[in-house]
Amino acid sequence: MGQLKEFEFIEWIRQRATADARVVTGVGDDTAVLAATTGPLLLTTDMLVDGVHFDLSRVEARDVGWKALACSISDVAAMGGRSTAAVASTALPQGTDEGAAQELVLGLLECAEAYGVCLVGGDVTGTAGPLVVNVALLGELAAERPVLRSGARVGDALLVTGSLGGSLLSRHVRVQPRAEEGIALARDYGVTAMIDISDGLARDLYHILDESGVGARLESAAVPLSDDAVSMAERSGRSPLEHALADGEDFELLFTLAESDAVRLLSDQPFGVPVTRIGTITGTGAVLVLADGTEQELARAGWEHAI
Amino acid sequence: MGQLKEFEFIEWIRQRATADARVVTGVGDDTAVLAATTGPLLLTTDMLVDGVHFDLSRVEARDVGWKALACSISDVAAMGGRSTAAVASTALPQGTDEGAAQELVLGLLECAEAYGVCLVGGDVTGTAGPLVVNVALLGELAAERPVLRSGARVGDALLVTGSLGGSLLSRHVRVQPRAEEGIALARDYGVTAMIDISDGLARDLYHILDESGVGARLESAAVPLSDDAVSMAERSGRSPLEHALADGEDFELLFTLAESDAVRLLSDQPFGVPVTRIGTITGTGAVLVLADGTEQELARAGWEHAI
């Protein structure tokens, strides 16, 4: 693989971007042109940096490309939205070979295809520092209204998809955003608030509570622990529950909905991944109910980027 | 100024993002929610890296924020579009103080306000490398159709806004994208192809020629030389024309239009910045006509990022 040339690389990407009725003009002009849509638009962006969000000495460039887009798809899902079109930028370390740069793009395209997203443009530059990948993603609403963090109401049930904790062991790279789940929760189950768990259960729950001006009782015994949380606990000296509360990058959906809708959802279990009730929204305070019935204030643990 | 905390910083930004009827939900949820629009959407992204696109030891963080958004506004203008909403991401070097990070955002917001753009979301992370800023920008069309690079026709006149060359001396930081000019050119003068000059006149002209499958005669004596091109030539040993052809980051508009429309535009001179005819679109080949009437093939000079 030779030295990478900017314009040749863009042409290479252009040849691989899939044609789609939603795209009037894709890669290769000053901007992409997308077909008109009806309804509100969702827009989000995520920046991933080698050494912070992934470790290039341990993961493949293709996985990094996948993850860069998957993180944003997860955000759109958490609004009850469907991801449609993305632009991606990358700063490639000096001397990055053509093959690695292409692998990065192939990972992006692979994720785009898996989730029905069109990659419509981007930017490529060099850097004296670590690899940086940025994705900006457009989406449209699947339900009438977006599901905000601020919609939780006292008495709502608190639920989560999948299982939590220890994502660093495996799941944090080939992130599987809950795209169809987010849409169905918004459209069919009237969820009142939703967030994707990127900073850790405790911190992301606080995001909902702070924005909604409510509290919660979180039943620790109900929190679905991933196998990875259990494995990590064996080495870390912390409990699997602590990992589930504080590890980030689960990319599961944390959401609230009316008691009756929760009962219906739990009975339906409509997804390939389980949904679990882990608590209840209250008027004020965030209480962690331990397995022995004792209660403590939920610590605002979780992932905050040190800058 | 203290150590920067991610969530406090996002809250600080949120308080400064301007309310706007086009924004249903801005900074602070999983994605932004934008009011429904009619017509096609434009989407573009630009990534700027310290040491490549700017030099933080010589420019202010506020100017970097401005430039990050201004580059994308220039791209939207080159489609004949109006910029509407942006998301911005940044990777801040370890130990970046709160003040510098805030200045970066203030520069973004200043540019957003100057050009009627809403900053609706973003992402903040750390990095072991240089500062990186990424902007993704949405726009809408001002005319019925987007102005593509591929629309130039044989016999069209070739024109440019402003003057070219030597942008590194001053203009490359507080970039003034030709936003209103791009809209008026598309809406009122029927321009057939357009690009913003970021890679240099020669290379960006080739982008139009390659995409349109045409050639051009470029009259070197007609190329409007900036004062900066003249100043740089005094030191560089190259001619002002060479600077105008090969220096990047002019962020002027290079465009083609029918002869009759060109005559009308040149007579109107409707902008605060002059428009100048610099050549004609031909069937094939890119010819540079020198001041003495001799002709040579236009070199594909200009800025290509070394990666």
Side-chain angles (χ1 to χ4, degrees):
Chain A
M1 297 295 174
Q3 172 75 20
L4 191 65
K5 289 223 172 63
E6 182 184 0
F7 297 119
E8 283 176 18
F9 184 49
I10 293 169
E11 187 54 38
W12 183 90
I13 297 169
R14 184 178 183 169
Q15 286 163 14
R16 278 154 189 82
T18 320
D20 189 288
R22 292 170 293 178
V23 184
V24 180
T25 305
V27 176
D29 216 300
D30 291 288
T31 78
V33 186
L34 305 170
T37 55
T38 54
L41 293 166
L42 305 177
L43 181 61
T44 186
T45 193
D46 279 291
M47 181 173 277
L48 271 57
V49 180
D50 184 18
V52 179
H53 303 88
F54 57 86
D55 178 351
L56 257 191
S57 66
R58 299 173 63 176
V59 299
E60 302 296 326
R62 189 179 285 234
D63 292 336
V64 172
W66 173 287
K67 180 175 182 174
L69 178 54
C71 291
S72 285
I73 293 173
S74 183
D75 283 320
V76 169
M79 304 294 284
R82 184 181 305 280
S83 296
T84 55
V87 286
S89 325
T90 183
L92 299 169
Q94 281 148 4
T96 296
D97 84 8
E98 211 179 335
Q102 290 174 347
E103 282 292 312
L104 183 74
V105 174
L106 289 172
L108 274 165
L109 288 171
E110 206 180 317
C111 185
E113 196 185 342
Y115 288 91
V117 173
C118 304
L119 183 68
V120 297
D123 194 15
V124 180
T125 182
T127 175
L131 176 68
V132 180
V133 188
N134 192 90
V135 165
L137 179 63
L138 267 179
E140 50 195 33
L141 287 180
E144 216 168 305
R145 269 188 289 267
V147 183
L148 305 181
R149 297 176 180 182
S150 56
R153 299 164 305 194
V154 176
D156 278 356
L158 177 70
L159 286 83
V160 69
T161 61
S163 59
L164 306 177
S167 71
L168 206 60
L169 281 191
S170 60
R171 290 166 295 132
H172 80 111
V173 176
R174 278 279 161 165
V175 173
Q176 303 292 320
R178 302 304 181 194
E180 289 308 319
E181 290 82 356
I183 290 170
L185 289 170
R187 193 187 52 202
D188 306 332
Y189 294 96
V191 295
T192 53
M194 186 149 60
I195 191 170
D196 70 318
I197 301 182
S198 53
D199 298 324
L201 171 60
R203 197 174 274 275
D204 285 316
L205 174 56
Y206 267 110
H207 286 314
I208 287 182
L209 303 185
D210 291 346
E211 295 298 321
S212 299
V214 295
R217 285 174 65 86
L218 180 62
E219 305 288 341
S220 64
V223 173
L225 305 171
S226 73
D227 293 344
D228 287 333
V230 175
S231 301
M232 276 189 92
E234 282 164 13
R235 307 186 220 163
S236 69
R238 293 157 61 211
S239 71
L241 177 65
E242 285 175 281
H243 283 285
L245 288 169
D247 294 352
E249 308 224 321
D250 292 302
F251 295 104
E252 297 293 350
L253 295 171
L254 175 68
F255 55 96
T256 61
L257 70 181
E259 183 72 34
S260 57
D261 289 322
V263 168
R264 185 164 56 91
L265 172 63
L266 288 164
S267 155
D268 289 353
Q269 286 290 348
F271 309 131
V273 61
V275 288
T276 308
R277 179 167 186 172
I278 58 173
T280 304
I281 298 299
T282 62
T284 183
V287 171
L288 181 67
V289 184
L290 299 179
D292 63 6
T294 59
E295 299 182 359
Q296 63 183 56
E297 191 190 339
L298 179 67
R300 281 181 187 262
W303 181 254
E304 177 167 30
H305 288 297
I307 294 164
Chain B
M1 295 296 174
Q3 171 77 17
L4 191 65
K5 289 222 173 64
E6 182 184 1
F7 297 118
E8 282 175 19
F9 185 48
I10 292 170
E11 188 54 37
W12 182 90
I13 297 169
R14 184 178 186 170
Q15 286 162 12
R16 277 154 191 82
T18 320
D20 190 288
R22 293 170 292 177
V23 184
V24 180
T25 304
V27 176
D29 216 300
D30 290 288
T31 78
V33 185
L34 305 170
T37 55
T38 55
L41 293 166
L42 306 177
L43 180 61
T44 186
T45 193
D46 278 292
M47 180 173 278
L48 271 56
V49 180
D50 185 19
V52 179
H53 303 88
F54 57 86
D55 178 351
L56 256 192
S57 66
R58 300 173 62 176
V59 299
E60 302 296 325
R62 189 181 283 233
D63 292 337
V64 172
W66 173 287
K67 181 176 182 174
L69 179 54
C71 291
S72 285
I73 293 173
S74 183
D75 283 319
V76 169
M79 304 295 282
R82 185 182 303 283
S83 297
T84 55
V87 286
S89 326
T90 183
L92 299 169
Q94 282 150 3
T96 296
D97 83 10
E98 212 179 335
Q102 290 174 348
E103 282 293 310
L104 184 75
V105 174
L106 289 173
L108 274 165
L109 288 170
E110 205 180 318
C111 186
E113 196 185 344
Y115 287 91
V117 173
C118 304
L119 183 69
V120 297
D123 195 14
V124 180
T125 180
T127 176
L131 176 68
V132 180
V133 188
N134 192 89
V135 165
L137 179 62
L138 267 179
E140 49 195 34
L141 287 180
E144 215 167 303
R145 270 190 290 266
V147 184
L148 305 181
R149 298 177 179 181
S150 57
R153 298 163 308 193
V154 176
D156 278 356
L158 177 69
L159 285 85
V160 69
T161 61
S163 59
L164 308 178
S167 71
L168 206 59
L169 282 191
S170 60
R171 289 166 295 132
H172 79 111
V173 176
R174 278 278 162 167
V175 173
Q176 304 292 320
R178 301 306 182 194
E180 289 306 320
E181 290 82 355
I183 290 169
L185 289 169
R187 194 186 50 201
D188 305 333
Y189 294 95
V191 296
T192 53
M194 188 151 58
I195 191 170
D196 71 319
I197 301 182
S198 53
D199 298 324
L201 171 59
R203 197 173 276 274
D204 285 316
L205 174 55
Y206 266 109
H207 286 313
I208 287 182
L209 303 185
D210 291 346
E211 295 299 321
S212 299
V214 296
R217 283 174 64 87
L218 180 61
E219 306 287 341
S220 64
V223 174
L225 305 170
S226 73
D227 293 345
D228 287 335
V230 176
S231 301
M232 276 189 95
E234 282 165 12
R235 307 187 218 163
S236 69
R238 293 157 62 210
S239 70
L241 178 65
E242 285 174 281
H243 283 285
L245 288 169
D247 295 351
E249 308 224 320
D250 292 302
F251 295 104
E252 295 294 348
L253 295 171
L254 176 68
F255 56 96
T256 62
L257 70 180
E259 182 71 34
S260 58
D261 290 322
V263 169
R264 185 164 54 91
L265 172 63
L266 288 164
S267 156
D268 289 354
Q269 287 289 349
F271 309 131
V273 61
V275 289
T276 307
R277 178 165 185 173
I278 58 173
T280 303
I281 298 299
T282 62
T284 182
V287 171
L288 181 67
V289 183
L290 298 179
D292 63 4
T294 60
E295 299 182 357
Q296 63 183 54
E297 192 190 337
L298 179 67
R300 281 181 187 262
W303 182 252
E304 178 167 29
H305 289 297
I307 292 164

